[in-house]
Amino acid sequence: MELRHLEYFVAVAEERHFTRAAERMRVAQSGLSASIRALERDLDAELFVRSTRRVELTDAGRALLAEAHRTLASAA
């Protein structure tokens, strides 16, 4: 797991949209999506419920969000 993956995860969780999160992070949407998929593989958990219009956190995603905020704050 890389800090970049956590940063992208937090952006998607806050924006609730992959394209807006990619714009916010100034990366290609495909790269951001690939990072989220890699994070989900590493954790063996689905973090988001995806639809064509919105993205919602799963229970695992909500649990990770609090930890991700703490980890990124510590790294800063």
Side-chain angles (χ1 to χ4, degrees):
M1 179 184 315
E2 299 178 24
L3 285 178
R4 173 178 50 95
H5 292 166
L6 290 179
E7 291 170 337
Y8 292 172
F9 166 75
V10 168
V12 173
E14 291 176 351
E15 296 291 336
R16 299 205 187 282
H17 197 273
F18 277 83
T19 301
R20 285 194 302 267
E23 290 169 356
R24 171 177 153 180
M25 299 303 296
R26 297 191 164 118
V27 297
Q29 189 269 332
S30 59
L32 182 132
S33 292
S35 290
I36 296 297
R37 281 192 306 274
L39 182 60
E40 288 176 323
R41 264 193 319 273
D42 287 349
L43 298 174
D44 194 28
E46 188 174 330
L47 301 173
F48 297 103
V49 176
R50 297 154 172 90
S51 74
T52 55
R53 294 179 188 246
R54 280 186 71 92
V55 176
E56 297 292 333
L57 286 167
T58 62
D59 289 340
R62 281 189 289 280
L64 178 61
L65 186 57
E67 291 301 318
H69 280 295
R70 278 192 283 272
T71 299
L72 292 171
S74 293

